[in-house]
């Protein structure tokens, strides 16, 4: 059953665990539920939008969404597989992990537990075989979720800002400077800087750096381009400069993500 079709069913049994594997929808619109959501991105890349930010969830990473949080999910490509488990929220307030949105790299223990969980689909209730095993996945999460990935692009309803963002995304291989980009849209450097801060809450350079790394991650996971080609496409003339910036944001070298490519 698709995840969209499953959403109304998640609430049917408050004490149950709901399992959904192999979600291929391109977009799951904004929704909320009374259970905490664990979703593992098996391949490709997914995006979760919460409040005014879109978080990037690459392959071999998982996300935790606390109960009651409005969110939307976007699947990056047909190669992306999302495996989700929805856990009862009793006592979640007693541990900070369960109260916060988080994106984390997966380890081998969790990979094997997720593979074993493919035995179940739909509701698993306390009296059912498998309930204690699935419950143990939730229990182990705080212990194995130490390095959070913080890749997020702020979003806006400002139409002028949307036009600027689209231009930047389409021209990442070019030299994008604050002054010249602002002039292109009829704005002084000061007005252009202020527009970024008021619309997105970050500077032009901060947004550009994050946009380049997000795009590079998409290219790493969803194309056969080399790292040198990817660095050039997202605006870096030096592979070492690209690699260093990538590591600053993701806590890993881009070469590490090459092993997560579809078909690798």
């Amino acid at each position: 059953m698709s995840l969209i079709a499953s959403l109304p069913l998640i609430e049917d049994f408050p004490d149950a665990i709901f399992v959904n594997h192999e979600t291929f929808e391109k977009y799951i619109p904004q929704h909320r539920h009374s259970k905490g959501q664990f979703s593992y991105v098996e391949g490709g890349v997914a995006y979760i939008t919460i409040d005014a930010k879109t978080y990037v969830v690459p392959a071999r990473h998982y996300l935790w969404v606390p109960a009651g949080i409005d969110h939307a999910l976007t699947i990056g490509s047909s190669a992306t597989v999302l495996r989700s488990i929805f856990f009862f929220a009793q006592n979640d307030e007693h541990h900070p992990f369960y109260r916060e949105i988080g994106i984390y790299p997966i380890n081998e223990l969790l990979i094997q537990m997720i593979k074993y969980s493919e035995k179940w689909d739909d509701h698993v209730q306390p009296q059912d075989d498998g309930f204690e095993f699935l419950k143990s996945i939730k229990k182990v999460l705080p212990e194995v979720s130490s390095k959070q990935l913080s890749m997020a692009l702020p979003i806006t309803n400002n139409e002028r800002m949307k036009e600027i963002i689209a231009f930047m995304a389409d021209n990442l291989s070019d030299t994008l400077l604050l002054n010249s980009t602002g002039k292109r849209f009829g704005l002084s450097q000061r007005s252009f800087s202020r527009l970024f801060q008021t619309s997105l809450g970050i500077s032009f350079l901060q947004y550009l750096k994050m946009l380049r790394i997000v795009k590079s991650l998409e290219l790493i996971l969803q194309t056969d381009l080399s790292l040198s080609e990817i660095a050039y496409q997202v605006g870096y003339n030096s592979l070492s400069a690209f690699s260093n910036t990538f590591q600053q944001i993701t806590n890993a070298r881009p070469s590490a993500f090459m092993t997560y490519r579809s078909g690798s």
Side-chain angles (χ1 to χ4, degrees):
M1 181 183 295
S2 72
L3 183 52
I4 289 179
S6 299
L7 290 178
L9 306 178
I10 293 172
E11 308 292 345
D12 284 353
F13 302 100
D15 296 330
I17 297 170
F18 190 88
V19 184
N20 178 273
H21 288 292
E22 300 192 34
T23 296
F24 293 101
E25 290 103 339
K26 295 295 288 182
Y27 178 67
I28 302 165
Q30 190 174 61
H31 62 283
R32 70 164 68 184
H33 31 74
S34 62
K35 295 186 177 182
Q37 177 177 345
F38 166 92
S39 289
Y40 168 50
V41 179
E42 191 169 80
V45 61
Y47 310 86
I48 179 168
T49 300
I50 300 172
D51 294 329
K53 287 186 177 181
T54 294
Y55 298 84
V56 182
V57 192
R60 303 273 295 209
H61 285 69
Y62 59 93
L63 64 92
W64 174 263
V65 183
I69 299 291
D70 288 320
H71 59 286
L73 281 166
T74 302
I75 306 302
S77 73
S78 59
T80 303
V81 178
L82 192 70
R83 304 190 182 278
S84 299
I85 304 176
F86 300 83
F87 294 99
F88 51 86
Q90 290 94 325
N91 299 317
D92 281 4
E93 68 277 8
H94 297 313
H95 198 292
F97 173 86
Y98 301 118
R99 302 195 303 266
E100 299 175 358
I101 299 157
I103 298 164
Y104 305 90
I106 201 162
N107 65 8
E108 191 59 34
L109 171 64
L110 271 180
I111 288 174
Q112 294 305 320
M113 295 178 86
I114 294 303
K115 286 183 178 179
Y116 191 75
S117 74
E118 292 177 14
K119 295 175 60 175
W120 300 281
D121 200 26
D122 211 328
H123 292 287
V124 180
Q125 300 201 56
Q127 68 272 19
D128 295 336
D129 291 340
F131 182 84
E132 290 300 322
F133 173 78
L134 294 170
K135 184 179 173 181
S136 70
I137 295 178
K138 180 184 180 183
K139 187 175 181 180
V140 78
L141 289 179
E143 299 176 31
V144 300
S145 305
S146 57
K147 293 183 179 180
Q148 186 166 172
L149 177 66
S150 298
M151 289 186 69
L153 286 170
I155 57 177
T156 179
N157 291 321
N158 184 301
E159 293 301 325
R160 195 174 199 185
M161 192 74 250
K162 287 181 180 180
E163 185 181 353
I164 293 168
I165 288 171
F167 169 79
M168 292 171 65
D170 290 340
N171 295 276
L172 282 179
S173 61
D174 296 341
T175 300
L176 295 172
L177 301 175
L178 176 65
N179 190 40
S180 58
T181 307
K183 282 183 178 179
R184 182 182 183 88
F185 291 91
L187 294 168
S188 67
Q189 181 171 321
R190 183 177 179 180
S191 296
F192 195 54
S193 294
R194 189 185 304 117
L195 181 61
F196 265 84
Q197 289 291 351
T198 57
S199 298
L200 300 177
I202 62 174
S203 72
F204 168 81
L205 290 177
Q206 287 173 321
Y207 186 86
L208 178 59
K209 181 167 74 171
M210 184 62 74
L211 183 62
R212 282 180 161 149
I213 297 306
V214 168
K215 182 60 178 178
S216 72
L217 187 58
E218 293 172 354
L219 293 172
I220 289 171
L221 294 172
Q222 298 175 171
T223 74
D224 294 324
L225 295 173
S226 69
L227 286 180
S228 294
E229 290 171 321
I230 290 169
Y232 175 77
Q233 283 207 16
V234 298
Y236 287 90
N237 294 322
S238 162
L239 180 57
S240 62
F242 163 65
S243 182
N244 289 337
T245 303
F246 190 98
Q247 185 176 35
Q248 287 174 9
I249 293 175
T250 67
N251 297 314
R253 293 288 180 184
S255 55
F257 283 86
M258 297 285 277
T259 62
Y260 304 157
R261 280 182 163 178
S262 302
S264 294

